[in-house]
Amino acid sequence: MHSNQYSVTEVKQIINAGGNIVKEYTISTLLTDSRRINNAAEGLFFALSARRNGHEFVAEAYAAGIRNFVVQHGPEFNLPEANFLLVDSPLAALQILAAYHRSQFKLQVIGITGSNGKTIVKEWLYQLLAADKNIVRNPKSYNSQIGVPLSVWQINGRNDLGIFEAGISTINEMDKLQAIIKPQIGILTHIGSAHDEGFTSRREKVLEKLQLFKNSKQLIYHYDELLDYKKDIPVKETFTWSRKFKVADLYVFSETVISKKYYLRAYYHKKEIECLIPFSDQASIENAITCWAAMLALGYSAVEADKRIERLAPVSMRLELKNGVSNCSVIDDSYNSDLQSLEIALNFLGQQNQHQKKTLILSDILQSGLQQDVLYCQVANLIGTQRIDKFIGVGDALINNQTCFNLPEQHFFKDTPALLQQLKTIGFKDETILIKGSRSFEFERISNALTQKAHETIMEINLNTLLGNLNFYRSKLKPGVKVMAMVKAFSYGSGTFEVANMLQYNKVDYLAVAYIDEGVALRQAGINLPIMVLNPEASAFDKLTENKLQPVIYSFGLLDDFVIYTQERGIVNYPVHLKIDTGMHRLGFENLDIETLCDMLEQNRYVHIQSVFSHLVASEAPEHDEFTKKQIKRFEKAFKEIEKTLGYKVIKHLCNTSGITRWPSAHYDMVRLGIGLYGVDSAVPASDNALQPIASLKTSVAQVKKIGAGDTISYGRSGSLLKDGKIATVRIGYADGYLRAFGKGVGKMLVKGTLVPTVGNITMDMCMLDVSGLDVNEGDEVIVFNDQLRIEELARQIGTIPYEILTNVSQRVKRVYFYE
Ligand SMILES: *Cc1c(COP(=O)(O)O)cnc(C)c1O
């Protein structure tokens, strides 16, 4: 049996690469991201070409200790002791290597695909089958052309079952994933509209998905989904389920809700069987039925399947970043634990710069398929890749393997209650704490003890979506054009260091804030990117220079002030930015001023002009395109004169979000990305799905009341219902940023998927919704805005712009950050 260790010579043969082996190494870890390197000594780095060419990161990976590389060309520089395996496509080589590795093992493999539910079904099958099998599966939703090979690479000799999901976004992708996963058993989950845009038709998408099963022995699926594809199913033996068709193997004929659980009855092999699902939303029910069908297809008895499904636990693939007690930040990942997700979580911890001190609370890792001493040495190695100051291990296995760990401060506890008892004694202050535990350890109790109790109105920020939006705009830029991310006004209401950390880690070039204090806060949170300050106050120049912030100079008065300030302190060449007013008429030098400005800058050694910029007033509006062209002309005239005077090149930038989308010819050296990062751009239709809002504002129902037709509601008797009905009082008011203008039916919120209007005036902390005819209870979640009910729609309701809606959400509303 093969372990996943290969000599680099073996690897070279497997992937049929050119190049010379200068030194022999053992390879056990495959790496694709130079920022995420562990086990460098046995690592093999694939220089993949995505938005950034992976070859750019070879030197960085070498510096991190990597000596083996799969590249298309190179090395362009002299890196002694490194092996370069030359191939046409590093991605194809990664896939070939994973496929080879897979072929070394005889384990049973389940392959899952579909548009929705893949990850949930995979994780639930893991929960359901882990008692009898040693299972290997994709970490989180690593189901892409890169994620699948990395997942399959983890197979080792102790595994007897693999559960792998495959995700595709266009044609000719599944074939490659099929060759790597080689599932004997296939599962098709729900087919919806996700990724429709990558295919010419729904049919083309379904046929592509079915490619995963072309050599499978058995396929488990929802009968109704493939009614039109009977001839196209590439598998002889099928196991189907349906709520409509009796011919299905599992025919669900009755569904009832019993106190938030879902009770199903079905016919299976002509016998009546039952199942209790501990969820009641439609997506979960469908995923649970798929798992039910899978268990029966795998030969489990109906009784056993029911027993296990009843204990299914929700799947959370996201890390949550929250404010903790005593000025701590808490990263909550208390639902699952394995080596791969630990690596992801540690990496996220590593991205956080807001506190010097970093702490990891970790439970035993169950079901890893590795021997304990091997496992915990690997865990210790992984932890060694991040600078962890304090380690708290919980569980017998960690206690038994304490000797693997060697951190400045460490504590071990038998179980979660033992740790809870000692939390106060250990003490937590000013640190970032990662809480990572297997579900059975119930680490949510630790998380509750260490986080601030949130007011029940919270704004959730999805950091992955932020990254997706950033990459969408990056894809519109020519190579070399820099990105300045606008994080003024608490990143448009979305947070401070949380957003900035993400942007810094993902290598934006510049940040911009409105005021010096905002820049200082970012520096205190460990952000070291260059920061431009749009509106620097002369009274705070000390803070500005101490924190290496770069001021925008927009007037002669400010230029004078700053030059005198630097002169008096003997500062020379301080980086500053010049703002040109080309039509906004807010701040900036006008074209008339340029000559005088040039005179003042000539021979001025106190400031160094880092950039020259201007701001478009209507980049989104076709009716003002002629004016925009005028602005562009004025801008070009201004920067040309300035560069001529200075005798050196400056960074030139003009475009804001919709300028990036609509004025590609005006990108110059850098663009200033603002609201698009947060998911709003009037020049990108929402139907494109290219951008996603990053924020969801949620609140909850405090009370439900019956209201008669004549009753009035709220201050000034401002609301009433036409007929007898019901209102829900929810925990958000104008002090939270839900403006009074939304009152009296103007604003609408989502309650259980239904849009309901406000009634009466909005009050300071609360407002009332008309929920007549809906089944609404105290504590139910209410959506103020999210990806379904968009900020654009709220802005339209009260005649304002999305910017105002976002930045109005008050600081009283807690922000919670998600990262997958
Ligand atoms: C806020 C701001 C931006 C960003 O504008 P968006 O429309 O949000 O992209 C760009 N430049 C300047 C000078 C700004 O003040």
Side-chain angles (χ1 to χ4, degrees):
M1 207 159 296
H2 210 299
S3 74
N4 54 354
Q5 283 196 333
Y6 295 79
S7 73
V8 66
T9 305
E10 255 179 296
V11 171
K12 182 170 180 275
Q13 278 162 7
I14 296 166
I15 63 175
N16 195 16
N20 293 323
I21 302 291
V22 299
K23 191 171 167 198
E24 194 55 80
Y25 292 90
T26 299
I27 301 297
S28 68
T29 304
L30 307 187
L31 301 157
T32 61
D33 185 338
S34 58
R35 297 166 306 183
R36 288 180 164 190
I37 288 186
N38 71 76
N39 194 19
E42 297 192 353
L44 177 62
F45 184 83
F46 289 80
L48 303 179
S49 299
R51 269 173 312 274
R52 305 278 300 260
N53 188 332
H55 292 75
E56 290 172 33
F57 302 112
V58 166
E60 192 178 326
Y62 184 87
I66 301 286
R67 291 296 174 266
N68 294 286
F69 298 87
V70 177
V71 292
Q72 214 173 6
H73 53 77
E76 277 76 21
F77 12 69
N78 184 22
L79 301 174
E81 307 213 332
N83 294 316
F84 287 88
L85 310 185
L86 288 168
V87 295
D88 287 339
S89 158
L91 176 61
L94 171 67
Q95 295 173 340
I96 291 166
L97 182 57
Y100 177 87
H101 183 67
R102 161 76 180 90
S103 68
Q104 302 304 299
F105 298 91
K106 291 218 157 42
L107 78 173
Q108 187 175 46
V109 172
I110 300 176
I112 305 174
T113 193
S115 326
N116 309 91
K118 296 184 284 292
T119 303
I120 304 286
V121 167
K122 179 200 73 193
E123 289 299 315
W124 276 352
L125 281 177
Y126 171 78
Q127 288 182 19
L128 294 167
L129 306 176
D132 339 288
K133 301 274 185 193
N134 193 319
I135 300 173
V136 53
R137 68 197 198 277
N138 324 55
K140 308 219 168 200
S141 45
Y142 274 29
N143 61 26
S144 67
Q145 296 287 311
I146 301 171
V148 166
L150 295 179
S151 302
V152 165
W153 179 254
Q154 304 168 83
I155 301 175
N156 68 46
R158 291 171 162 239
N159 300 129
D160 47 23
L161 175 65
I163 310 178
F164 296 109
E165 57 172 297
I168 52 166
S169 50
T170 184
I171 51 162
N172 300 329
E173 288 192 333
M174 194 56 100
D175 222 24
K176 294 170 191 139
L177 301 186
Q178 189 279 333
I180 304 168
I181 299 175
K182 294 194 188 76
Q184 300 98 347
I185 298 174
I187 296 180
L188 183 70
T189 62
H190 184 80
I191 293 180
S193 61
H195 294 302
D196 272 357
E197 65 277 9
F199 299 88
T200 51
S201 64
R202 182 64 67 88
R203 182 170 180 83
E204 186 181 65
K205 181 170 89 170
V206 173
L207 293 181
E208 179 72 23
K209 287 189 186 292
L210 289 175
Q211 287 298 305
L212 177 61
F213 312 122
K214 69 179 180 197
N215 293 327
S216 300
K217 292 205 182 63
Q218 189 183 32
L219 177 64
I220 299 154
Y221 68 95
H222 183 185
Y223 185 80
D224 312 17
E225 294 262 26
L226 293 186
L227 280 180
D228 299 335
Y229 299 87
K230 286 216 171 93
K231 287 202 205 75
D232 307 299
I233 298 172
V235 189
K236 274 206 213 82
E237 189 188 333
T238 59
F239 189 104
T240 58
W241 69 270
S242 177
R243 290 155 147 161
K244 271 202 237 142
F245 297 94
K246 290 187 180 156
V247 297
D249 296 279
L250 179 66
Y251 166 56
V252 179
F253 67 88
S254 152
E255 311 180 33
T256 26
V257 183
I258 305 177
S259 67
K260 296 208 172 178
K261 291 190 179 184
Y262 213 75
Y263 176 60
L264 299 178
R265 287 158 67 204
Y267 284 112
Y268 167 57
H269 286 173
K270 304 211 170 77
K271 274 210 320 254
E272 193 180 319
I273 63 170
E274 57 180 14
C275 182
L276 196 61
I277 297 172
F279 301 93
S280 57
D281 65 285
Q282 279 308 317
S284 297
I285 292 161
E286 185 165 338
N287 291 329
I289 298 176
T290 300
C291 291
W292 191 16
M295 285 197 78
L296 297 170
L298 289 170
Y300 284 88
S301 73
V303 174
E304 188 61 27
D306 177 36
K307 209 166 89 192
R308 294 192 188 184
I309 288 171
E310 195 181 335
R311 291 199 304 256
L312 277 180
V315 172
S316 170
M317 288 289 117
R318 318 193 288 184
L319 305 171
E320 283 179 36
L321 171 63
K322 310 188 249 201
N323 285 328
V325 296
S326 307
N327 197 33
C328 290
S329 300
V330 171
I331 301 169
D332 189 348
D333 192 6
S334 54
Y335 290 105
N336 63 70
S337 195
D338 52 61
L339 273 177
Q340 287 70 34
S341 68
L342 174 62
E343 188 201 333
I344 295 166
L346 279 171
N347 190 64
F348 186 65
L349 176 66
Q351 290 177 37
Q352 305 303 314
N353 302 295
Q354 61 270 34
H355 310 290
Q356 287 275 316
K357 191 167 177 181
K358 292 187 179 165
T359 299
L360 168 64
I361 306 181
L362 181 72
S363 80
D364 283 353
I365 293 178
L366 312 170
Q367 296 280 345
S368 73
L370 295 172
Q371 245 147 352
Q372 290 206 346
D373 50 341
V374 177
L375 170 66
Y376 290 102
C377 279
Q378 288 194 14
V379 169
N381 276 337
L382 209 51
I383 295 173
T385 63
Q386 302 292 341
R387 204 185 40 75
I388 303 286
D389 305 279
K390 180 152 99 187
F391 176 71
I392 299 170
V394 181
D396 292 330
L398 275 162
I399 292 186
N400 292 337
N401 291 282
Q402 297 190 27
T403 47
C404 295
F405 298 89
N406 182 16
L407 290 129
E409 181 185 343
Q410 47 189 35
H411 310 266
F412 292 88
F413 298 92
K414 192 168 128 332
D415 52 23
T416 305
L419 167 59
L420 280 168
Q421 263 189 0
Q422 295 298 314
L423 273 187
K424 280 239 162 58
T425 326
I426 297 171
F428 297 88
K429 189 163 180 283
D430 238 324
E431 49 200 279
T432 308
I433 308 168
L434 168 61
I435 303 178
K436 176 91 186 141
S438 305
R439 170 165 293 281
S440 58
F441 280 83
E442 298 183 350
F443 268 13
E444 57 272 20
R445 295 170 66 193
I446 298 171
S447 155
N448 284 340
L450 290 178
T451 51
Q452 291 176 357
K453 195 94 197 97
H455 170 63
E456 293 193 49
T457 299
I458 58 167
M459 183 142 102
E460 294 182 353
I461 308 290
N462 186 328
L463 294 172
N464 296 82
T465 308
L466 176 86
L467 188 55
N469 294 340
L470 172 66
N471 286 334
F472 169 75
Y473 287 100
R474 277 183 165 157
S475 74
K476 303 211 165 288
L477 304 178
K478 284 204 216 59
V481 175
K482 294 178 166 33
V483 175
M484 173 183 270
M486 307 307 282
V487 295
K488 59 192 182 193
F490 299 107
S491 304
Y492 291 47
S494 298
T496 54
F497 58 79
E498 302 89 350
V499 169
N501 272 330
M502 194 69 192
L503 294 169
Q504 172 164 304
Y505 184 73
N506 288 288
K507 304 201 155 96
V508 305
D509 303 279
Y510 258 95
L511 296 178
V513 294
Y515 293 102
I516 292 172
D517 279 345
E518 294 179 339
V520 172
L522 291 179
R523 285 285 180 255
Q524 282 169 351
I527 302 297
N528 52 31
L529 283 175
I531 298 177
M532 179 175 101
V533 182
L534 290 161
N535 240 313
E537 321 87 288
S539 58
F541 282 164
D542 281 340
K543 276 203 257 174
L544 179 107
T545 53
E546 279 159 20
N547 288 282
K548 296 197 163 58
L549 305 173
Q550 305 179 359
V552 167
I553 303 289
Y554 54 78
S555 71
F556 291 116
L558 187 58
L559 181 60
D560 273 341
D561 286 347
F562 195 67
V563 167
I564 292 168
Y565 176 87
T566 46
Q567 212 168 3
E568 281 174 354
R569 285 160 187 78
I571 299 173
V572 291
N573 279 331
Y574 197 89
V576 305
H577 304 260
L578 291 180
K579 178 156 196 188
I580 311 299
D581 182 353
T582 54
M584 176 83 164
H585 295 134
R586 187 171 58 177
L587 298 175
F589 296 99
E590 300 195 19
N591 274 51
L592 292 172
D593 303 329
I594 302 296
E595 215 180 307
T596 321
L597 178 64
C598 285
D599 288 345
M600 290 178 70
L601 293 176
E602 210 167 1
Q603 316 283 317
N604 185 327
R605 51 193 205 94
Y606 301 104
V607 293
H608 178 88
I609 310 301
Q610 199 74 13
S611 84
V612 174
F613 73 101
S614 185
H615 195 32
L616 296 174
V617 300
S619 57
E620 72 288 354
E623 67 271 30
H624 295 301
D625 281 355
E626 283 311 310
F627 188 78
T628 302
K629 285 182 194 153
K630 251 187 219 152
Q631 285 199 283
I632 293 174
K633 277 222 179 72
R634 287 180 189 149
F635 178 57
E636 296 206 346
K637 188 159 180 294
F639 74 66
K640 278 183 186 146
E641 252 172 86
I642 294 170
E643 272 194 337
K644 208 166 89 197
T645 308
L646 293 173
Y648 55 80
K649 288 267 169 226
V650 297
I651 300 174
K652 295 160 293 272
H653 46 116
L654 180 65
C655 283
N656 66 335
T657 295
S658 9
I660 302 174
T661 323
R662 295 196 62 240
W663 296 93
S665 61
H667 289 173
Y668 302 105
D669 307 314
M670 180 156 83
V671 293
R672 297 187 308 275
L673 177 58
I675 198 152
L677 258 185
Y678 311 99
V680 179
D681 182 347
S682 57
V684 179
S687 55
D688 280 10
N689 278 329
L691 288 176
Q692 290 295 326
I694 71 164
S696 319
L697 182 58
K698 296 179 174 175
T699 183
S700 60
V701 174
Q703 200 175 16
V704 179
K705 286 179 192 290
K706 285 209 172 99
I707 298 289
D711 298 339
T712 63
I713 298 146
S714 193
Y715 284 120
R717 308 188 63 199
S718 43
S720 60
L721 303 183
L722 289 175
K723 316 185 276 200
D724 288 359
K726 200 162 59 167
I727 60 166
T729 304
V730 297
R731 297 178 167 97
I732 188 167
Y734 57 76
D736 300 293
Y738 197 67
L739 298 173
R740 253 181 118 253
F742 284 114
K744 301 190 224 174
V746 173
K748 297 186 176 57
M749 297 188 195
L750 273 174
V751 180
K752 293 196 162 162
T754 307
L755 213 48
V756 298
T758 59
V759 234
N761 285 324
I762 309 294
T763 73
M764 189 182 288
D765 310 309
M766 297 275 167
C767 66
M768 279 65 89
L769 302 174
D770 180 356
V771 292
S772 303
L774 289 181
D775 172 28
V776 176
N777 299 297
E778 287 173 17
D780 282 352
E781 180 181 271
V782 176
I783 306 288
V784 184
F785 59 71
N786 67 358
D787 54 348
Q788 305 296 313
L789 177 54
R790 294 221 179 196
I791 315 164
E792 290 95 318
E793 169 63 17
L794 271 73
R796 206 191 45 73
Q797 288 165 356
I798 61 165
T800 183
I801 51 174
Y803 298 75
E804 199 179 20
I805 302 286
L806 266 180
T807 54
N808 255 326
V809 179
S810 79
Q811 290 303 306
R812 175 165 97 179
V813 176
K814 288 275 178 315
R815 272 66 170 170
V816 177
Y817 297 83
F818 289 104
Y819 182 69
E820 285 163 21

